[in-house]
Amino acid sequence: MLPLRCHLKRAPPQKILCRFCAMMGKLQSKLKHSTYKYRPDAIIEERIQATGFQEYSPAHSDTVSVVAALNSDLCVSGGKDKTVVAYNWKTGNVVKRFRGHEHDITKIACLHKSNQFFSASRDRMVMMWDLHGSSQPRQQFSGHAMVVTGLAVSPDSSQLCSGSRDNSLLLWDVGTGQCVERASVSRNLVTHLCWVPREPYVLQTSEDKTIRLWDSRGLQVAHIFPAKQHIQTYCEVSEDGHRCLSCSNGFGGEGCEATLWDLRQTRNRICEYKGHFQTVASCVFLPRALALKPIIATSSHDCKVKIWDQDTGACLLTLSLDGSGPLTSLAIGDTISLLCASFHRGIHLLRVDHSPRLELREVAVF
């Protein structure tokens, strides 16, 4: 705000009022959103106020639970309004609304650059949709006894894996809609599923604080990673399939971390990322083009998105989305953009800049 203050001192009284009102009309409360930069030792270097951004028509009328990118222009999201929305986040337009679920949307799964995607809901149903087809579901998958909390599609789109709070995983034939495998583990309340690229394996997090690797050929547990101290809320696999991330719930900084694991031979814990103060709800591997070194991003119920050095665990950037409420989901839009879903303010479009130095800022909300 210092540049604004200096500018006001030099302007005539009449111009002060006009310029100030015009600026507030554009930015509204957005000046509250700020970026913090960290050195590797976690000491704050500087605080930079975010510039104004665009506010598009909301994609949803209530809390957004999940967002996923279909391609470099379109995303698909779902939430408490029971609607799945395809949205062009570059133009700020709703492409199509899909209705069929009777309760909150909990998960969305899709393959990048595909026109088909899947949604799961508290109504215990999974539905398949076609971007260019009807607004009604193309296929329905019914088999869980409780809310569906995990969803992953195979790399060739032929199979779908779903998980639930009923402790079970189901493997589906996408073409027929039939369940071909079923597995159940006591106390395995599924929180998220992720298919390993180019492999028959599915990664799963659970409320029993464990991460399991399932072999889809027979739906058997292939490996159980060392148990964490807190509920594991989310998992993500790197594009090369060599590493994976998991997130922990928590409060007051206890728990609230992301963990990097080796998916190859040792399957050991590699690094931890600590700095959030509430549950970490989502994590992603960021494109290598963004920085000279591997980096990851996390979003949390503490209203913050953080970028980390993947190898050292150092927090490089923190973006605070004040007024957003808990951040629920994070997805890569394109090579420089992130999509972040929130409780109170819809979906935030974030831009990662790396020239001349790494920066993270909010550019739109919808």
Side-chain angles (χ1 to χ4, degrees):
M1 295 295 294
L2 182 58
L4 175 61
R5 197 154 50 239
C6 294
H7 182 71
L8 293 179
K9 287 181 179 180
R10 291 194 295 268
Q14 297 84 354
K15 293 184 179 180
I16 290 176
L17 181 60
C18 294
R19 292 175 183 173
F20 183 76
C21 291
M23 180 171 292
M24 290 306 294
K26 290 181 181 179
L27 301 187
Q28 297 178 4
S29 62
K30 310 321 186 276
L31 290 178
K32 293 181 180 178
H33 303 167
S34 53
T35 299
Y36 301 83
K37 293 192 175 183
Y38 284 74
R39 295 199 300 266
D41 58 6
I43 298 175
I44 297 177
E45 283 187 336
E46 56 183 316
R47 173 173 173 166
I48 300 175
Q49 293 288 0
T51 57
F53 64 95
Q54 292 181 299
E55 189 163 0
Y56 296 125
S57 298
H60 294 273
S61 60
D62 207 331
T63 294
V64 182
S65 305
V66 58
V67 62
L70 273 180
N71 54 46
S72 58
D73 297 313
L74 301 179
C75 67
V76 183
S77 57
K80 287 190 174 182
D81 60 5
K82 311 173 189 177
T83 306
V84 178
V85 179
Y87 199 97
N88 188 318
W89 51 269
K90 288 189 175 178
T91 63
N93 296 317
V94 172
V95 177
K96 186 178 289 188
R97 297 185 185 274
F98 302 86
R99 295 181 173 88
H101 285 294
E102 297 178 355
H103 217 301
D104 306 7
I105 310 299
T106 55
K107 297 290 180 179
I108 287 178
C110 61
L111 291 178
H112 194 61
K113 298 183 179 179
S114 172
N115 292 323
Q116 294 181 351
F117 51 93
F118 304 83
S119 61
S121 169
R122 290 186 179 277
D123 62 13
R124 301 172 292 176
M125 295 289 295
V126 175
M127 297 184 180
M128 180 172 74
W129 313 88
D130 191 325
L131 181 64
H132 302 304
S134 167
S135 59
Q136 298 299 309
R138 180 175 174 179
Q139 186 72 270
Q140 299 188 43
F141 308 84
S142 176
H144 286 291
M146 296 183 70
V147 52
V148 182
T149 49
L151 204 57
V153 59
S154 65
D156 63 0
S157 300
S158 66
Q159 292 184 312
L160 181 73
C161 188
S162 61
S164 167
R165 290 183 62 85
D166 62 11
N167 302 327
S168 71
L169 265 69
L170 303 182
L171 190 66
W172 306 86
D173 183 299
V174 171
T176 65
Q178 298 298 309
C179 178
V180 295
E181 297 285 355
R182 178 187 292 265
S184 182
V185 176
S186 177
R187 302 177 65 183
N188 182 34
L189 281 72
V190 177
T191 57
H192 195 71
L193 295 172
C194 184
W195 208 294
V196 180
R198 298 175 294 278
E199 297 288 348
Y201 298 108
V202 179
L203 192 68
Q204 179 236 318
T205 48
S206 170
E207 286 192 17
D208 67 3
K209 307 175 185 178
T210 61
I211 304 108
R212 293 178 175 86
L213 188 66
W214 294 80
D215 191 332
S216 64
R217 299 165 296 187
L219 206 57
Q220 301 290 326
V221 176
H223 182 74
I224 300 177
F225 291 85
K228 298 283 289 178
Q229 296 298 311
H230 296 80
I231 290 172
Q232 297 301 285
T233 59
Y234 190 88
C235 57
E236 178 80 356
V237 180
S238 61
E239 284 190 4
D240 58 14
H242 294 167
R243 296 181 174 188
C244 67
L245 288 164
S246 68
C247 300
S248 296
N249 81 336
F251 185 78
E254 187 69 26
C256 314
E257 80 268 4
T259 305
L260 181 68
W261 305 87
D262 184 4
L263 265 181
R264 292 172 290 181
Q265 298 299 322
T266 64
R267 292 178 176 168
N268 291 332
R269 183 176 65 187
I270 300 173
C271 190
E272 286 196 330
Y273 311 91
K274 297 183 177 182
H276 285 292
F277 286 91
Q278 294 187 40
T279 294
V280 180
S282 190
C283 53
V284 293
F285 291 91
L286 294 179
R288 287 299 299 268
L290 285 176
L292 297 176
K293 52 190 174 183
I295 52 178
I296 66 168
T298 55
S299 63
S300 167
H301 288 184
D302 63 10
C303 308
K304 293 178 173 59
V305 177
K306 289 180 179 287
I307 292 182
W308 311 81
D309 185 310
Q310 179 180 300
D311 297 330
T312 67
C315 181
L316 305 176
L317 289 171
T318 297
L319 177 65
S320 181
L321 299 173
D322 301 330
S324 66
L327 304 180
T328 55
S329 180
L330 196 61
I332 296 173
D334 57 23
T335 55
I336 60 171
S337 302
L338 289 172
L339 300 161
C340 183
S342 69
F343 257 58
H344 302 318
R345 299 194 61 247
I347 302 171
H348 306 259
L349 175 60
L350 312 179
R351 186 66 43 81
V352 185
D353 296 322
H354 60 93
S355 179
R357 57 185 179 179
L358 194 64
E359 292 184 352
L360 178 65
R361 57 192 176 93
E362 184 182 19
V363 296
V365 65
F366 53 89

